[in-house]
PDB file of all heavy atoms in Angstrom:
ATOM      1  N   LYS A1437      -7.142   1.390  -8.182  1.00 86.00           N
ATOM      2  CA  LYS A1437      -7.145   1.003  -6.741  1.00 86.00           C
ATOM      3  C   LYS A1437      -5.842   1.522  -6.022  1.00 86.00           C
ATOM      4  O   LYS A1437      -5.932   1.888  -4.835  1.00 86.00           O
ATOM      5  CB  LYS A1437      -7.204  -0.508  -6.600  1.00 86.00           C
ATOM      6  CG  LYS A1437      -6.147  -1.275  -7.306  1.00 86.00           C
ATOM      7  CD  LYS A1437      -6.406  -2.757  -7.095  1.00 86.00           C
ATOM      8  CE  LYS A1437      -5.263  -3.627  -7.786  1.00 86.00           C
ATOM      9  NZ  LYS A1437      -3.921  -3.255  -7.197  1.00 86.00           N
ATOM     10  N   SER A1438      -4.682   1.482  -6.784  1.00 86.00           N
ATOM     11  CA  SER A1438      -3.523   2.005  -6.112  1.00 86.00           C
ATOM     12  C   SER A1438      -3.569   3.564  -5.865  1.00 86.00           C
ATOM     13  O   SER A1438      -3.153   4.047  -4.807  1.00 86.00           O
ATOM     14  CB  SER A1438      -2.256   1.740  -7.057  1.00 86.00           C
ATOM     15  OG  SER A1438      -2.052   0.376  -7.098  1.00 86.00           O
ATOM     16  N   THR A1439      -4.254   4.317  -6.789  1.00 86.00           N
ATOM     17  CA  THR A1439      -4.466   5.702  -6.518  1.00 86.00           C
ATOM     18  C   THR A1439      -5.452   5.904  -5.327  1.00 86.00           C
ATOM     19  O   THR A1439      -5.146   6.830  -4.491  1.00 86.00           O
ATOM     20  CB  THR A1439      -5.092   6.338  -7.732  1.00 86.00           C
ATOM     21  OG1 THR A1439      -4.247   6.179  -8.914  1.00 86.00           O
ATOM     22  CG2 THR A1439      -5.331   7.894  -7.563  1.00 86.00           C
ATOM     23  N   MET A1440      -6.423   5.023  -5.220  1.00 88.00           N
ATOM     24  CA  MET A1440      -7.306   5.164  -4.007  1.00 88.00           C
ATOM     25  C   MET A1440      -6.549   4.764  -2.733  1.00 88.00           C
ATOM     26  O   MET A1440      -6.776   5.427  -1.759  1.00 88.00           O
ATOM     27  CB  MET A1440      -8.458   4.192  -4.173  1.00 88.00           C
ATOM     28  CG  MET A1440      -9.437   4.198  -3.001  1.00 88.00           C
ATOM     29  SD  MET A1440     -10.883   3.127  -3.310  1.00 88.00           S
ATOM     30  CE  MET A1440     -11.680   4.037  -4.602  1.00 88.00           C
ATOM     31  N   PHE A1441      -5.743   3.787  -2.775  1.00 89.00           N
ATOM     32  CA  PHE A1441      -4.902   3.392  -1.708  1.00 89.00           C
ATOM     33  C   PHE A1441      -4.069   4.554  -1.175  1.00 89.00           C
ATOM     34  O   PHE A1441      -4.014   4.887  -0.066  1.00 89.00           O
ATOM     35  CB  PHE A1441      -4.051   2.198  -2.038  1.00 89.00           C
ATOM     36  CG  PHE A1441      -3.023   1.777  -0.965  1.00 89.00           C
ATOM     37  CD1 PHE A1441      -3.404   0.974   0.060  1.00 89.00           C
ATOM     38  CD2 PHE A1441      -1.733   2.169  -1.040  1.00 89.00           C
ATOM     39  CE1 PHE A1441      -2.501   0.576   0.989  1.00 89.00           C
ATOM     40  CE2 PHE A1441      -0.810   1.754  -0.083  1.00 89.00           C
ATOM     41  CZ  PHE A1441      -1.143   1.037   0.911  1.00 89.00           C
ATOM     42  N   ASN A1442      -3.412   5.237  -2.114  1.00 87.00           N
ATOM     43  CA  ASN A1442      -2.509   6.374  -1.788  1.00 87.00           C
ATOM     44  C   ASN A1442      -3.394   7.483  -1.259  1.00 87.00           C
ATOM     45  O   ASN A1442      -3.010   8.161  -0.265  1.00 87.00           O
ATOM     46  CB  ASN A1442      -1.724   6.826  -2.953  1.00 87.00           C
ATOM     47  CG  ASN A1442      -0.728   5.786  -3.402  1.00 87.00           C
ATOM     48  OD1 ASN A1442      -0.230   5.030  -2.591  1.00 87.00           O
ATOM     49  ND2 ASN A1442      -0.328   5.763  -4.691  1.00 87.00           N
ATOM     50  N   ALA A1443      -4.634   7.705  -1.833  1.00 86.00           N
ATOM     51  CA  ALA A1443      -5.474   8.828  -1.326  1.00 86.00           C
ATOM     52  C   ALA A1443      -5.889   8.562   0.062  1.00 86.00           C
ATOM     53  O   ALA A1443      -6.028   9.498   0.894  1.00 86.00           O
ATOM     54  CB  ALA A1443      -6.648   8.904  -2.311  1.00 86.00           C
ATOM     55  N   LEU A1444      -6.350   7.299   0.368  1.00 86.00           N
ATOM     56  CA  LEU A1444      -6.777   7.011   1.705  1.00 86.00           C
ATOM     57  C   LEU A1444      -5.609   7.132   2.716  1.00 86.00           C
ATOM     58  O   LEU A1444      -5.798   7.539   3.890  1.00 86.00           O
ATOM     59  CB  LEU A1444      -7.418   5.587   1.740  1.00 86.00           C
ATOM     60  CG  LEU A1444      -8.699   5.363   1.127  1.00 86.00           C
ATOM     61  CD1 LEU A1444      -9.131   3.892   1.033  1.00 86.00           C
ATOM     62  CD2 LEU A1444      -9.763   6.167   1.819  1.00 86.00           C
ATOM     63  N   ALA A1445      -4.467   6.797   2.222  1.00 84.00           N
ATOM     64  CA  ALA A1445      -3.260   6.825   3.139  1.00 84.00           C
ATOM     65  C   ALA A1445      -2.783   8.289   3.299  1.00 84.00           C
ATOM     66  O   ALA A1445      -2.088   8.619   4.197  1.00 84.00           O
ATOM     67  CB  ALA A1445      -2.123   5.932   2.574  1.00 84.00           C
ATOM     68  N   GLY A1446      -3.134   9.101   2.242  1.00 80.00           N
ATOM     69  CA  GLY A1446      -2.650  10.480   2.342  1.00 80.00           C
ATOM     70  C   GLY A1446      -1.168  10.673   1.890  1.00 80.00           C
ATOM     71  O   GLY A1446      -0.603  11.630   2.259  1.00 80.00           O
ATOM     72  N   MET A1447      -0.659   9.644   1.299  1.00 80.00           N
ATOM     73  CA  MET A1447       0.707   9.676   0.856  1.00 80.00           C
ATOM     74  C   MET A1447       0.922   8.660  -0.206  1.00 80.00           C
ATOM     75  O   MET A1447       0.147   7.717  -0.406  1.00 80.00           O
ATOM     76  CB  MET A1447       1.695   9.262   2.059  1.00 80.00           C
ATOM     77  CG  MET A1447       1.282   7.992   2.762  1.00 80.00           C
ATOM     78  SD  MET A1447       2.078   7.754   4.400  1.00 80.00           S
ATOM     79  CE  MET A1447       3.768   7.730   3.837  1.00 80.00           C
ATOM     80  N   THR A1448       1.891   8.909  -1.050  1.00 80.00           N
ATOM     81  CA  THR A1448       2.208   7.986  -2.164  1.00 80.00           C
ATOM     82  C   THR A1448       3.046   6.765  -1.624  1.00 80.00           C
ATOM     83  O   THR A1448       4.181   6.958  -1.256  1.00 80.00           O
ATOM     84  CB  THR A1448       2.899   8.704  -3.309  1.00 80.00           C
ATOM     85  OG1 THR A1448       2.146   9.825  -3.717  1.00 80.00           O
ATOM     86  CG2 THR A1448       3.196   7.752  -4.434  1.00 80.00           C
ATOM     87  N   ILE A1449       2.336   5.624  -1.660  1.00 80.00           N
ATOM     88  CA  ILE A1449       3.044   4.431  -1.228  1.00 80.00           C
ATOM     89  C   ILE A1449       3.141   3.366  -2.331  1.00 80.00           C
ATOM     90  O   ILE A1449       4.236   2.936  -2.736  1.00 80.00           O
ATOM     91  CB  ILE A1449       2.315   3.793  -0.014  1.00 80.00           C
ATOM     92  CG1 ILE A1449       2.282   4.825   1.152  1.00 80.00           C
ATOM     93  CG2 ILE A1449       2.966   2.435   0.367  1.00 80.00           C
ATOM     94  CD1 ILE A1449       1.435   4.346   2.312  1.00 80.00           C
ATOM     95  N   SER A1450       1.974   3.082  -2.925  1.00 72.00           N
ATOM     96  CA  SER A1450       1.954   2.115  -4.023  1.00 72.00           C
ATOM     97  C   SER A1450       2.121   2.843  -5.321  1.00 72.00           C
ATOM     98  O   SER A1450       1.512   3.880  -5.641  1.00 72.00           O
ATOM     99  CB  SER A1450       0.589   1.489  -3.997  1.00 72.00           C
ATOM    100  OG  SER A1450       0.506   0.452  -4.965  1.00 72.00           O
ATOM    101  N   PRO A1451       2.969   2.227  -6.165  1.00 72.00           N
ATOM    102  CA  PRO A1451       3.172   2.936  -7.502  1.00 72.00           C
ATOM    103  C   PRO A1451       2.007   2.929  -8.347  1.00 72.00           C
ATOM    104  O   PRO A1451       1.175   1.961  -8.431  1.00 72.00           O
ATOM    105  CB  PRO A1451       4.334   2.017  -8.168  1.00 72.00           C
ATOM    106  CG  PRO A1451       4.135   0.665  -7.458  1.00 72.00           C
ATOM    107  CD  PRO A1451       3.729   0.924  -6.051  1.00 72.00           C
ATOM    108  N   VAL A1452       1.823   4.042  -9.101  1.00 65.00           N
ATOM    109  CA  VAL A1452       0.711   4.230 -10.015  1.00 65.00           C
ATOM    110  C   VAL A1452       1.256   4.435 -11.404  1.00 65.00           C
ATOM    111  O   VAL A1452       2.166   5.119 -11.638  1.00 65.00           O
ATOM    112  CB  VAL A1452      -0.201   5.468  -9.654  1.00 65.00           C
ATOM    113  CG1 VAL A1452      -1.280   5.693 -10.544  1.00 65.00           C
ATOM    114  CG2 VAL A1452      -0.617   5.327  -8.121  1.00 65.00           C
ATOM    115  N   GLY A1453       0.591   3.702 -12.349  1.00 51.00           N
ATOM    116  CA  GLY A1453       1.058   3.826 -13.755  1.00 51.00           C
ATOM    117  C   GLY A1453       0.106   3.204 -14.651  1.00 51.00           C
ATOM    118  O   GLY A1453      -0.988   2.780 -14.287  1.00 51.00           O
ATOM    119  N   VAL A1454       0.543   3.112 -15.928  1.00 46.00           N
ATOM    120  CA  VAL A1454      -0.330   2.513 -16.965  1.00 46.00           C
ATOM    121  C   VAL A1454       0.162   1.192 -17.513  1.00 46.00           C
ATOM    122  O   VAL A1454      -0.580   0.566 -18.324  1.00 46.00           O
ATOM    123  CB  VAL A1454      -0.494   3.535 -18.138  1.00 46.00           C
ATOM    124  CG1 VAL A1454      -1.215   4.765 -17.709  1.00 46.00           C
ATOM    125  CG2 VAL A1454       0.938   3.863 -18.750  1.00 46.00           C
ATOM    126  N   ARG A1455       1.330   0.775 -17.103  1.00 47.00           N
ATOM    127  CA  ARG A1455       1.901  -0.417 -17.510  1.00 47.00           C
ATOM    128  C   ARG A1455       1.096  -1.667 -16.808  1.00 47.00           C
ATOM    129  O   ARG A1455       0.635  -1.455 -15.740  1.00 47.00           O
ATOM    130  CB  ARG A1455       3.364  -0.581 -17.343  1.00 47.00           C
ATOM    131  CG  ARG A1455       3.735  -0.549 -15.857  1.00 47.00           C
ATOM    132  CD  ARG A1455       5.237  -0.409 -15.655  1.00 47.00           C
ATOM    133  NE  ARG A1455       5.658  -0.314 -14.298  1.00 47.00           N
ATOM    134  CZ  ARG A1455       5.837  -1.344 -13.471  1.00 47.00           C
ATOM    135  NH1 ARG A1455       5.623  -2.612 -13.887  1.00 47.00           N
ATOM    136  NH2 ARG A1455       6.169  -1.127 -12.234  1.00 47.00           N
ATOM    137  N   ARG A1456       1.146  -2.818 -17.482  1.00 45.00           N
ATOM    138  CA  ARG A1456       0.511  -4.002 -16.940  1.00 45.00           C
ATOM    139  C   ARG A1456       1.567  -5.011 -16.522  1.00 45.00           C
ATOM    140  O   ARG A1456       2.484  -5.305 -17.278  1.00 45.00           O
ATOM    141  CB  ARG A1456      -0.372  -4.619 -17.958  1.00 45.00           C
ATOM    142  CG  ARG A1456      -1.648  -3.820 -18.315  1.00 45.00           C
ATOM    143  CD  ARG A1456      -2.406  -4.510 -19.418  1.00 45.00           C
ATOM    144  NE  ARG A1456      -2.856  -5.826 -19.131  1.00 45.00           N
ATOM    145  CZ  ARG A1456      -4.025  -6.054 -18.552  1.00 45.00           C
ATOM    146  NH1 ARG A1456      -4.811  -5.080 -18.256  1.00 45.00           N
ATOM    147  NH2 ARG A1456      -4.363  -7.291 -18.215  1.00 45.00           N
ATOM    148  N   PRO A1457       1.458  -5.512 -15.301  1.00 46.00           N
ATOM    149  CA  PRO A1457       0.562  -5.105 -14.270  1.00 46.00           C
ATOM    150  C   PRO A1457       1.146  -3.836 -13.494  1.00 46.00           C
ATOM    151  O   PRO A1457       2.287  -3.724 -13.425  1.00 46.00           O
ATOM    152  CB  PRO A1457       0.514  -6.265 -13.281  1.00 46.00           C
ATOM    153  CG  PRO A1457       1.879  -6.924 -13.467  1.00 46.00           C
ATOM    154  CD  PRO A1457       2.321  -6.681 -14.851  1.00 46.00           C
ATOM    155  N   THR A1458       0.268  -3.022 -13.028  1.00 54.00           N
ATOM    156  CA  THR A1458       0.729  -1.771 -12.310  1.00 54.00           C
ATOM    157  C   THR A1458       1.274  -2.173 -10.941  1.00 54.00           C
ATOM    158  O   THR A1458       2.353  -1.788 -10.525  1.00 54.00           O
ATOM    159  CB  THR A1458      -0.420  -0.828 -12.100  1.00 54.00           C
ATOM    160  OG1 THR A1458      -0.902  -0.521 -13.489  1.00 54.00           O
ATOM    161  CG2 THR A1458       0.061   0.444 -11.443  1.00 54.00           C
ATOM    162  N   THR A1459       0.472  -2.967 -10.140  1.00 54.00           N
ATOM    163  CA  THR A1459       0.821  -3.368  -8.811  1.00 54.00           C
ATOM    164  C   THR A1459       1.384  -4.773  -8.814  1.00 54.00           C
ATOM    165  O   THR A1459       0.631  -5.708  -9.113  1.00 54.00           O
ATOM    166  CB  THR A1459      -0.314  -3.254  -7.817  1.00 54.00           C
ATOM    167  OG1 THR A1459      -0.943  -1.978  -7.908  1.00 54.00           O
ATOM    168  CG2 THR A1459       0.075  -3.569  -6.396  1.00 54.00           C
ATOM    169  N   SER A1460       2.647  -4.900  -8.627  1.00 64.00           N
ATOM    170  CA  SER A1460       3.380  -6.243  -8.721  1.00 64.00           C
ATOM    171  C   SER A1460       3.352  -6.984  -7.400  1.00 64.00           C
ATOM    172  O   SER A1460       3.706  -8.178  -7.401  1.00 64.00           O
ATOM    173  CB  SER A1460       4.710  -6.120  -9.267  1.00 64.00           C
ATOM    174  OG  SER A1460       5.532  -5.280  -8.413  1.00 64.00           O
ATOM    175  N   GLY A1461       3.057  -6.350  -6.304  1.00 79.00           N
ATOM    176  CA  GLY A1461       3.094  -7.005  -5.043  1.00 79.00           C
ATOM    177  C   GLY A1461       2.193  -6.243  -4.052  1.00 79.00           C
ATOM    178  O   GLY A1461       1.761  -5.127  -4.389  1.00 79.00           O
ATOM    179  N   VAL A1462       2.066  -6.752  -2.856  1.00 90.00           N
ATOM    180  CA  VAL A1462       1.133  -6.185  -1.853  1.00 90.00           C
ATOM    181  C   VAL A1462       1.931  -5.053  -1.142  1.00 90.00           C
ATOM    182  O   VAL A1462       3.128  -5.219  -0.792  1.00 90.00           O
ATOM    183  CB  VAL A1462       0.636  -7.260  -0.893  1.00 90.00           C
ATOM    184  CG1 VAL A1462       1.756  -7.943  -0.145  1.00 90.00           C
ATOM    185  CG2 VAL A1462      -0.313  -6.648   0.016  1.00 90.00           C
ATOM    186  N   TYR A1463       1.195  -3.984  -0.854  1.00 92.00           N
ATOM    187  CA  TYR A1463       1.742  -2.895  -0.076  1.00 92.00           C
ATOM    188  C   TYR A1463       0.833  -2.747   1.098  1.00 92.00           C
ATOM    189  O   TYR A1463      -0.401  -2.929   1.053  1.00 92.00           O
ATOM    190  CB  TYR A1463       1.818  -1.586  -0.850  1.00 92.00           C
ATOM    191  CG  TYR A1463       2.846  -1.502  -1.928  1.00 92.00           C
ATOM    192  CD1 TYR A1463       2.638  -2.191  -3.194  1.00 92.00           C
ATOM    193  CD2 TYR A1463       4.128  -0.985  -1.659  1.00 92.00           C
ATOM    194  CE1 TYR A1463       3.605  -2.178  -4.148  1.00 92.00           C
ATOM    195  CE2 TYR A1463       5.098  -1.014  -2.658  1.00 92.00           C
ATOM    196  CZ  TYR A1463       4.830  -1.550  -3.887  1.00 92.00           C
ATOM    197  OH  TYR A1463       5.792  -1.614  -4.892  1.00 92.00           O
ATOM    198  N   ALA A1464       1.435  -2.324   2.288  1.00 93.00           N
ATOM    199  CA  ALA A1464       0.596  -2.128   3.530  1.00 93.00           C
ATOM    200  C   ALA A1464       0.845  -0.804   4.155  1.00 93.00           C
ATOM    201  O   ALA A1464       1.973  -0.299   4.147  1.00 93.00           O
ATOM    202  CB  ALA A1464       0.973  -3.275   4.510  1.00 93.00           C
ATOM    203  N   CYS A1465      -0.275  -0.199   4.548  1.00 93.00           N
ATOM    204  CA  CYS A1465      -0.136   1.058   5.258  1.00 93.00           C
ATOM    205  C   CYS A1465      -0.790   0.911   6.658  1.00 93.00           C
ATOM    206  O   CYS A1465      -1.949   0.433   6.730  1.00 93.00           O
ATOM    207  CB  CYS A1465      -0.802   2.233   4.525  1.00 93.00           C
ATOM    208  SG  CYS A1465      -0.715   3.822   5.394  1.00 93.00           S
ATOM    209  N   VAL A1466      -0.085   1.188   7.714  1.00 93.00           N
ATOM    210  CA  VAL A1466      -0.509   0.875   9.098  1.00 93.00           C
ATOM    211  C   VAL A1466      -0.788   2.172   9.804  1.00 93.00           C
ATOM    212  O   VAL A1466       0.014   3.094   9.822  1.00 93.00           O
ATOM    213  CB  VAL A1466       0.546   0.065   9.877  1.00 93.00           C
ATOM    214  CG1 VAL A1466       0.111  -0.181  11.301  1.00 93.00           C
ATOM    215  CG2 VAL A1466       0.849  -1.246   9.177  1.00 93.00           C
ATOM    216  N   TRP A1467      -2.026   2.227  10.361  1.00 91.00           N
ATOM    217  CA  TRP A1467      -2.326   3.339  11.328  1.00 91.00           C
ATOM    218  C   TRP A1467      -2.080   2.932  12.685  1.00 91.00           C
ATOM    219  O   TRP A1467      -2.767   2.012  13.188  1.00 91.00           O
ATOM    220  CB  TRP A1467      -3.798   3.755  11.102  1.00 91.00           C
ATOM    221  CG  TRP A1467      -4.101   4.673   9.974  1.00 91.00           C
ATOM    222  CD1 TRP A1467      -4.333   6.012  10.074  1.00 91.00           C
ATOM    223  CD2 TRP A1467      -4.158   4.339   8.571  1.00 91.00           C
ATOM    224  NE1 TRP A1467      -4.587   6.565   8.765  1.00 91.00           N
ATOM    225  CE2 TRP A1467      -4.441   5.573   7.837  1.00 91.00           C
ATOM    226  CE3 TRP A1467      -4.015   3.169   7.828  1.00 91.00           C
ATOM    227  CZ2 TRP A1467      -4.617   5.566   6.441  1.00 91.00           C
ATOM    228  CZ3 TRP A1467      -4.190   3.210   6.457  1.00 91.00           C
ATOM    229  CH2 TRP A1467      -4.441   4.355   5.808  1.00 91.00           C
ATOM    230  N   GLY A1468      -1.134   3.475  13.332  1.00 87.00           N
ATOM    231  CA  GLY A1468      -0.827   3.122  14.744  1.00 87.00           C
ATOM    232  C   GLY A1468       0.652   2.554  14.689  1.00 87.00           C
ATOM    233  O   GLY A1468       1.412   2.689  13.875  1.00 87.00           O
ATOM    234  N   SER A1469       1.015   1.784  15.778  1.00 87.00           N
ATOM    235  CA  SER A1469       2.299   1.274  15.969  1.00 87.00           C
ATOM    236  C   SER A1469       2.656   0.167  14.954  1.00 87.00           C
ATOM    237  O   SER A1469       1.914  -0.827  14.923  1.00 87.00           O
ATOM    238  CB  SER A1469       2.455   0.764  17.346  1.00 87.00           C
ATOM    239  OG  SER A1469       3.693   0.007  17.551  1.00 87.00           O
ATOM    240  N   PRO A1470       3.652   0.333  14.156  1.00 87.00           N
ATOM    241  CA  PRO A1470       4.039  -0.766  13.186  1.00 87.00           C
ATOM    242  C   PRO A1470       4.473  -2.003  13.928  1.00 87.00           C
ATOM    243  O   PRO A1470       4.409  -3.123  13.426  1.00 87.00           O
ATOM    244  CB  PRO A1470       5.151  -0.091  12.380  1.00 87.00           C
ATOM    245  CG  PRO A1470       5.732   0.966  13.269  1.00 87.00           C
ATOM    246  CD  PRO A1470       4.585   1.463  14.076  1.00 87.00           C
ATOM    247  N   THR A1471       5.071  -1.788  15.116  1.00 90.00           N
ATOM    248  CA  THR A1471       5.521  -2.985  15.891  1.00 90.00           C
ATOM    249  C   THR A1471       4.376  -3.781  16.348  1.00 90.00           C
ATOM    250  O   THR A1471       4.380  -5.101  16.294  1.00 90.00           O
ATOM    251  CB  THR A1471       6.341  -2.538  17.122  1.00 90.00           C
ATOM    252  OG1 THR A1471       7.452  -1.658  16.717  1.00 90.00           O
ATOM    253  CG2 THR A1471       6.909  -3.713  17.922  1.00 90.00           C
ATOM    254  N   ASP A1472       3.321  -3.132  16.829  1.00 92.00           N
ATOM    255  CA  ASP A1472       2.174  -3.929  17.298  1.00 92.00           C
ATOM    256  C   ASP A1472       1.474  -4.664  16.106  1.00 92.00           C
ATOM    257  O   ASP A1472       0.896  -5.717  16.247  1.00 92.00           O
ATOM    258  CB  ASP A1472       1.094  -2.949  17.922  1.00 92.00           C
ATOM    259  CG  ASP A1472       1.632  -2.375  19.195  1.00 92.00           C
ATOM    260  OD1 ASP A1472       2.591  -2.938  19.760  1.00 92.00           O
ATOM    261  OD2 ASP A1472       1.097  -1.328  19.662  1.00 92.00           O
ATOM    262  N   ALA A1473       1.520  -4.080  14.916  1.00 93.00           N
ATOM    263  CA  ALA A1473       0.929  -4.648  13.684  1.00 93.00           C
ATOM    264  C   ALA A1473       1.749  -5.671  13.058  1.00 93.00           C
ATOM    265  O   ALA A1473       1.245  -6.373  12.195  1.00 93.00           O
ATOM    266  CB  ALA A1473       0.511  -3.619  12.733  1.00 93.00           C
ATOM    267  N   ALA A1474       2.981  -5.779  13.497  1.00 94.00           N
ATOM    268  CA  ALA A1474       3.929  -6.704  12.798  1.00 94.00           C
ATOM    269  C   ALA A1474       3.428  -8.197  12.737  1.00 94.00           C
ATOM    270  O   ALA A1474       3.522  -8.854  11.794  1.00 94.00           O
ATOM    271  CB  ALA A1474       5.284  -6.618  13.427  1.00 94.00           C
ATOM    272  N   PRO A1475       2.922  -8.713  13.944  1.00 95.00           N
ATOM    273  CA  PRO A1475       2.461 -10.176  13.868  1.00 95.00           C
ATOM    274  C   PRO A1475       1.372 -10.378  12.833  1.00 95.00           C
ATOM    275  O   PRO A1475       1.372 -11.397  12.147  1.00 95.00           O
ATOM    276  CB  PRO A1475       2.009 -10.440  15.280  1.00 95.00           C
ATOM    277  CG  PRO A1475       2.781  -9.375  16.142  1.00 95.00           C
ATOM    278  CD  PRO A1475       2.847  -8.250  15.329  1.00 95.00           C
ATOM    279  N   VAL A1476       0.489  -9.416  12.734  1.00 95.00           N
ATOM    280  CA  VAL A1476      -0.610  -9.509  11.778  1.00 95.00           C
ATOM    281  C   VAL A1476      -0.085  -9.487  10.437  1.00 95.00           C
ATOM    282  O   VAL A1476      -0.491 -10.250   9.456  1.00 95.00           O
ATOM    283  CB  VAL A1476      -1.639  -8.491  11.990  1.00 95.00           C
ATOM    284  CG1 VAL A1476      -2.756  -8.498  10.881  1.00 95.00           C
ATOM    285  CG2 VAL A1476      -2.322  -8.618  13.357  1.00 95.00           C
ATOM    286  N   LEU A1477       0.875  -8.563  10.097  1.00 95.00           N
ATOM    287  CA  LEU A1477       1.449  -8.419   8.819  1.00 95.00           C
ATOM    288  C   LEU A1477       2.264  -9.617   8.418  1.00 95.00           C
ATOM    289  O   LEU A1477       2.263 -10.070   7.249  1.00 95.00           O
ATOM    290  CB  LEU A1477       2.259  -7.129   8.732  1.00 95.00           C
ATOM    291  CG  LEU A1477       1.447  -5.795   8.758  1.00 95.00           C
ATOM    292  CD1 LEU A1477       2.367  -4.632   8.967  1.00 95.00           C
ATOM    293  CD2 LEU A1477       0.668  -5.642   7.428  1.00 95.00           C
ATOM    294  N   ASP A1478       2.937 -10.177   9.352  1.00 95.00           N
ATOM    295  CA  ASP A1478       3.738 -11.392   9.116  1.00 95.00           C
ATOM    296  C   ASP A1478       2.776 -12.530   8.703  1.00 95.00           C
ATOM    297  O   ASP A1478       3.100 -13.308   7.801  1.00 95.00           O
ATOM    298  CB  ASP A1478       4.487 -11.800  10.414  1.00 95.00           C
ATOM    299  CG  ASP A1478       5.677 -10.901  10.634  1.00 95.00           C
ATOM    300  OD1 ASP A1478       6.147 -10.184   9.704  1.00 95.00           O
ATOM    301  OD2 ASP A1478       6.119 -10.861  11.843  1.00 95.00           O
TER     302      ASP A1478
END
């Protein structure tokens, strides 16, 4: 899922690996103004 996340984003954001757990926290990629999306992300 992290590889898919990065592929959809077109950039490496979420770490990818084989250790457990791979994703230790939530990562967000925003299309558009990050300022406008800040209240939703908060």
